[in-house]
């Protein structure tokens, strides 16, 4: 499916998507499906979709944090430093946060 917008229309859609913390693609899909189904933006399915999108965004951010912490740990170890206990605890908390986000997303979508 191809959809075309002029520059002003696209910017309007981009701003609306950003205000809802959605990608432009997700915003267009959600908006068009809601309209086709006769649903409003406050519909429970729309809120669920937004929550799942937010969790996916949170997971991606946590993954970047975990990756950076692993790189720090590797650099410390490679230079002969022992990994500080605080780093182990931070890594554990990041893993726990990722697991919590995954579990919450799965529970929201019924998995």
């Amino acid at each position: 499916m191809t959809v075309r917008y002029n520059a002003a229309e696209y910017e309007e859609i981009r701003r609306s998507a950003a205000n809802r913390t959605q990608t432009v693609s997700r915003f267009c899909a959600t908006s068009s499906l809601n309209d086709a189904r006769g649903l409003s933006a406050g519909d429970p399915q729309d809120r669920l979709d937004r929550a799942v999108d937010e969790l996916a965004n949170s997971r991606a951010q946590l993954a970047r944090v975990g990756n950076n912490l692993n790189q720090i740990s590797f650099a410390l170890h490679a230079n002969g430093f022992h990994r500080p206990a605080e780093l182990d605890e931070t890594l554990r908390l990041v893993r726990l946060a990722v697991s919590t986000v995954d579990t919450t997303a799965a529970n929201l979508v019924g998995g």
Side-chain angles (χ1 to χ4, degrees), residues 96-107:
L96 176 63
V98 169
S99 176
T100 301
V101 166
D102 287 347
T103 300
T104 302
N107 288 340

Side-chain angles (χ1 to χ4, degrees), residues 3-17 24 27-28:
V3 180
R4 299 184 193 280
Y5 301 102
N6 66 36
E9 292 168 335
Y10 180 80
E11 182 57 25
E12 184 178 352
I13 290 168
R14 189 203 60 74
R15 277 193 314 271
S16 292
V24 170
F27 177 80
C28 290

Side-chain angles (χ1 to χ4, degrees), residues 14-33:
R14 189 203 60 74
R15 277 193 314 271
S16 292
N19 287 340
R20 295 181 66 178
T21 63
Q22 292 180 324
T23 65
V24 170
S25 295
R26 168 55 73 188
F27 177 80
C28 290
T30 301
S31 297
S32 60
L33 285 171

Side-chain angles (χ1 to χ4, degrees), residues 2-87:
T2 301
V3 180
R4 299 184 193 280
Y5 301 102
N6 66 36
E9 292 168 335
Y10 180 80
E11 182 57 25
E12 184 178 352
I13 290 168
R14 189 203 60 74
R15 277 193 314 271
S16 292
N19 287 340
R20 295 181 66 178
T21 63
Q22 292 180 324
T23 65
V24 170
S25 295
R26 168 55 73 188
F27 177 80
C28 290
T30 301
S31 297
S32 60
L33 285 171
N34 282 349
D35 187 62
R37 295 171 180 161
L39 304 174
S40 70
D43 180 82
Q45 183 61 47
D46 181 57
R47 289 195 311 266
L48 174 64
D49 289 344
R50 290 174 63 188
V52 170
D53 287 345
E54 182 138 346
L55 286 168
N57 184 43
S58 296
R59 189 187 195 294
Q61 291 176 16
L62 285 167
R64 286 191 288 276
V65 168
N67 185 50
N68 289 340
L69 289 170
N70 280 326
Q71 290 176 2
I72 291 167
S73 175
F74 179 80
L76 287 172
H77 185 69
N79 290 316
F81 294 101
H82 293 289
R83 189 162 68 195
E86 293 85 5
L87 186 55

